[in-house]
Amino acid sequence: MSACDPRELVLLAAAELDGAARRRIEAHVAECPRCAAELQALRQGLALAARLPAPEPSPEAIDRVRRAALGALARRRPARRPRIAILRRYALTAAAALVALVGWSLVQQWFAPDPVPPGHVAVADGRELTHNWDRWQNAVTDSAVLTEELGTLQQSDPWTLAEIRLAGSASQKAGDELQEIIEHVELIEHDAADGS
Amino acid sequence: MAPRADRDIVAQLVSQCRRGDPQAFEQVFALYRGPLYAYLARTTGDRHEAEDLLQDVFVRLVENLDRYEESGRFEAWVFRIAANRVRDWARRRKHAERTASAPPGGRENDGDGPLPGVLDKAVEAPPEGRMIAGEQIRQLETAMAGLEADERQVLVLRHYGDLSFREIADIMGSPLGTVLAKSHRALLKLRDKMDRPAARSDP
């Protein structure tokens, strides 16, 4: 048994009650003549509202609205790719490049027949390399993540030629700047070998 | 009344529209322009205002497609845009009336409802009078136009938008109980007015 609740009667009249709630209200209505009469009146009201005609816009208005909306559609820019998806894409590239770099370094260390010269540039020359490296980074990388990761690696350990070549290859954008920096490092290494 | 379009089809159309597909938009336009216009015409009581608002609604619909979340029905989202446009229009109109310091005659708007007084003109100038089929329909339109603005709002959203009371409450930003109470009053008034129209029209 439920108390008389006009709001629930509206939901029942509009068939927007399901399951236990509907059965509960129906049981109440079956025993309450007042609510039964009210439910019938509400259903008649809904039936009347449903007969209200739908006015139509004029053909000129339809055409005008359509053209305005199509104009807005044409101006729509494609939804921006979610930032996380961009990061994921570049993170994969960066990870692949790092794996290749580390792997290649290990291979060099394991199979290098002669430990001297090690192929590392001197710390002082590393500053020069860093100076040019900025240009190289801009030229051969298009990923902020990759740049950051490579930059961190560079600071922790001077670069070998092989590493630079590999990084350039991984980025697939090796250009004149890469060639320039490679030649520069070759010169440094050559001078170091002559001096040793 | 808005057609109950298949949810999967609507989702596909929305997806195509987001990519700028004009043919998909044409289908969305064909589905919703009628119900939206009917809702706007009934709430403003002015076909020209309704046409301007219809354009505004569709342009905003296109511009904000990325904001639509598929968890809710597209129809409810579309009619929310329309209801917001009507709310803004009603505010502008009320402000203009105040600044003109010459309020029009007739019933004073209470100003408390979400859409105060937007239907008052419908009594004087029912939209699309040529569409009225007969005396009973004319009486029905007059009875609807005579309801309080927010009572009418509930009934026309339900009728033209095919929306549930829960969706209407969400659109109006009102508790479900409040919307049901308004609907209860509106439906009984409508039935009473249509029950004895002859007595009033006789001399």
Side-chain angles (χ1 to χ4, degrees), chain B residues 169-187:
Chain B
D170 192 36
I171 286 173
M172 295 176 72
S174 301
L176 175 62
T178 304
V179 167
L180 290 174
K182 290 181 199 300
S183 182
H184 183 268
R185 283 197 304 272
L187 290 170

Side-chain angles (χ1 to χ4, degrees), chain B residues 19-40:
Chain B
R19 296 196 295 270
D21 183 343
Q23 290 177 330
F25 172 76
E26 289 284 1
Q27 293 185 60
V28 171
F29 186 63
L31 269 175
Y32 298 110
R33 76 168 189 235
L36 279 172
Y37 176 77
Y39 163 73
L40 295 168

Side-chain angles (χ1 to χ4, degrees), chain B residues 120-141:
Chain B
D120 292 349
K121 284 172 69 180
V123 178
E124 307 159 12
E128 298 292 327
R130 61 187 167 77
M131 297 296 295
I132 298 174
E135 178 64 14
Q136 199 177 25
I137 295 298
R138 192 190 66 77
Q139 289 170 350
L140 177 61
E141 289 184 310

Side-chain angles (χ1 to χ4, degrees), chain B residues 18-86:
Chain B
R18 282 174 171 158
R19 296 196 295 270
D21 183 343
Q23 290 177 330
F25 172 76
E26 289 284 1
Q27 293 185 60
V28 171
F29 186 63
L31 269 175
Y32 298 110
R33 76 168 189 235
L36 279 172
Y37 176 77
Y39 163 73
L40 295 168
R42 292 289 176 205
T43 46
T44 62
D46 185 311
R47 57 175 296 179
H48 297 296
E49 295 282 3
E51 287 172 354
D52 288 347
L53 286 171
L54 185 69
Q55 178 170 327
D56 197 11
V57 168
F58 270 108
V59 168
R60 284 174 185 262
L61 184 154
V62 168
E63 289 175 344
N64 292 288
L65 270 175
D66 292 331
R67 294 187 180 184
Y68 164 62
E69 295 174 1
E70 280 79 357
S71 54
R73 283 176 67 215
F74 186 65
E75 289 82 352
W77 185 73
V78 167
F79 272 86
R80 178 194 296 275
I81 296 175
N84 287 341
R85 296 298 88 215
V86 169

Side-chain angles (χ1 to χ4, degrees), chain A residues 6-11 13-17 37-38 40-66 68-70 72-80, chain B residues 17-18 20-22 25-26 29 33-34 37-38 41-42 47 51-52 54-55 58-59 62-63 65-66 127-128 131 136-137 140-141 144 155-156 158-160 163-166 177 180-181 183-184 187-188 190-191 194:
Chain A
R7 295 168 299 185
E8 287 185 320
L9 289 178
V10 172
L11 287 173
E16 290 187 27
L17 277 180
E38 199 167 295
Q40 187 180 6
L42 290 170
R43 283 178 170 151
Q44 288 171 344
L46 282 168
L48 284 168
R51 292 182 59 194
L52 197 67
E56 290 278 344
S58 67
E60 296 79 17
I62 291 174
D63 189 48
R64 176 166 59 89
V65 174
R66 175 194 281 117
L70 284 172
L73 191 73
R75 289 191 300 274
R76 261 180 65 83
R77 286 183 298 184
R80 296 182 67 177
Chain B
C17 284
R18 282 174 171 158
D21 183 343
F25 172 76
E26 289 284 1
F29 186 63
R33 76 168 189 235
Y37 176 77
R42 292 289 176 205
R47 57 175 296 179
E51 287 172 354
D52 288 347
L54 185 69
Q55 178 170 327
F58 270 108
V59 168
V62 168
E63 289 175 344
L65 270 175
D66 292 331
E128 298 292 327
M131 297 296 295
Q136 199 177 25
I137 295 298
L140 177 61
E141 289 184 310
M144 281 291 285
L155 294 193
V156 293
R158 179 173 166 77
H159 175 42
Y160 295 121
L163 303 173
S164 70
F165 286 116
R166 284 177 179 81
L180 290 174
S183 182
H184 183 268
L187 290 170
L188 293 186
L190 198 61
R191 209 239 10 195
M194 292 301 289

Side-chain angles (χ1 to χ4, degrees), chain A residues 138-180:
Chain A
N138 291 333
V140 302
T141 67
D142 60 353
S143 157
V145 176
L146 183 60
T147 301
E148 187 180 343
E149 294 294 342
L150 294 181
T152 305
L153 195 64
Q154 182 199 1
Q155 286 167 10
S156 65
D157 191 26
W159 287 80
T160 67
L161 265 183
E163 286 167 342
I164 293 171
R165 284 200 184 93
L166 198 60
S169 173
S171 72
Q172 297 183 336
K173 283 200 174 184
D176 291 343
E177 276 89 356
L178 175 62
Q179 191 56 41
E180 185 183 330

